[in-house]
Amino acid sequence: MFSALSHGARRAVVKSLGEKGILSFSQLREAAGIAETGTFGFHLKKTEPLLEKLPDGRYKLSKLGEKAYGLMLFLERPEAFSVSSKKPEEGVKELRSLSRLLLDAERLGRYGKVTIKDCDEVLIDSDVSPELFRNKVLSIREVGRIVCPKELHKAVLSRIERGCGVVETYEGELPLEALEGRYPKYLENYGELVVDVSRLRPDTRIENYGRLTLTGVTEENVGKIASIENYGILRVPKGFKELVLTRVTSNYGAVEEYE
């Protein structure tokens, strides 16, 4: 994925498809700013893992491309890697230092504006519309796990400033497993996330593009992991590296031990 995004023209292709959905070859070439067809064809070929070509010849993002677009939205924010000690503005409610924060339309309606910080989990109910979310939520920082309706995905990504882990989406009502605090069977991490392996469901698949720390590691618990694709930094307790590596199917990053 990172190789496909290593050139500005390829990033422009992904960004255009992320914003507009489906585009033709010529529309993508225009978005990339490359007049010469052969040169653009070379870059389009390099971007293939992130694209899906439709029967009519137009293109849309593949599942991996959607992940890449989400990562780009996060990294494009100037605050993504900044450290700020600013106090919240007057009239802004700071929701912070919570194990679990459940946001619904009624709760958001009580506040003028809110910032969210230092929470293990943020669960957003299905009655929160994208318009309400954008109007109320100014920023999200240092949250391990966010669960939101699918239609809120872009709005949530636009508010993440730094240090957030996995963002999960759902359709319909907020799933019971989210309320029970169980991880989904497919985990993606783009920020910094701590995962208690004992809470995983059987046959969990993990993709790590950020900094992922595993806790609660035992031989029995590791058996719950079907696979780990590691493109970032994977941290495991000292003495369990070899055990965890038996679950790593792709490793383009680093695996570190901690005390």
Side-chain angles (χ1 to χ4, degrees), residues 226-238:
S227 64
I228 300 175
E229 294 183 35
N230 181 42
Y231 302 90
I233 298 174
L234 177 63
R235 302 180 69 245
V236 301
K238 189 172 183 179

Side-chain angles (χ1 to χ4, degrees), residues 46-161:
K46 292 289 186 180
T47 320
E48 271 187 354
L50 309 181
L51 308 180
E52 181 180 332
K53 192 171 184 179
L54 302 175
D56 63 3
R58 294 185 299 167
Y59 295 86
K60 71 174 185 177
L61 291 179
S62 65
K63 288 186 177 180
L64 183 60
E66 291 175 355
K67 298 172 190 174
Y69 176 60
L71 182 61
M72 286 172 58
L73 287 179
F74 170 68
L75 294 177
E76 283 178 356
R77 294 186 63 84
E79 307 91 341
F81 298 102
S82 67
V83 177
S84 173
S85 59
K86 291 192 299 183
K87 294 182 179 179
E89 300 173 23
E90 188 174 346
V92 175
K93 175 70 174 178
E94 188 176 65
L95 305 174
R96 64 176 299 170
S97 302
L98 300 169
S99 174
R100 175 177 294 175
L101 172 63
L102 177 60
L103 282 180
D104 56 17
E106 189 275 332
R107 183 168 189 177
L108 277 177
R110 296 183 219 157
Y111 309 122
K113 303 287 184 180
V114 302
T115 61
I116 301 169
K117 184 178 180 182
D118 295 332
C119 296
D120 293 336
E121 295 179 315
V122 174
L123 310 178
I124 305 174
D125 204 0
S126 57
D127 64 353
V128 177
S129 68
E131 181 181 8
L132 176 63
F133 184 87
R134 289 191 178 97
N135 285 340
K136 295 290 186 177
V137 180
L138 297 178
S139 65
I140 303 173
R141 298 182 181 184
E142 297 164 9
V143 173
R145 177 185 181 223
I146 302 171
V147 181
C148 68
K150 189 174 182 179
E151 59 268 23
L152 272 186
H153 188 230
K154 288 184 180 179
V156 169
L157 290 175
S158 73
R159 293 298 186 262
I160 292 176
E161 293 192 350

Side-chain angles (χ1 to χ4, degrees), residues 145 166 168 177 182-189 193 195-208 212 214 220-229 244 246-249:
R145 177 185 181 223
V166 62
E168 304 163 22
E177 66 186 40
R182 299 177 68 195
Y183 295 108
K185 293 188 71 171
Y186 178 46
L187 272 174
E188 299 171 277
N189 175 45
L193 181 65
V195 170
D196 182 350
V197 180
S198 67
R199 290 174 54 199
L200 292 178
R201 304 168 72 187
D203 298 320
T204 295
R205 294 187 299 119
I206 299 173
E207 288 187 22
N208 176 45
L212 175 64
L214 300 182
E220 180 181 0
N221 290 340
V222 168
K224 297 178 181 180
I225 302 174
S227 64
I228 300 175
E229 294 183 35
V244 172
T246 63
R247 300 296 172 177
V248 176
T249 55

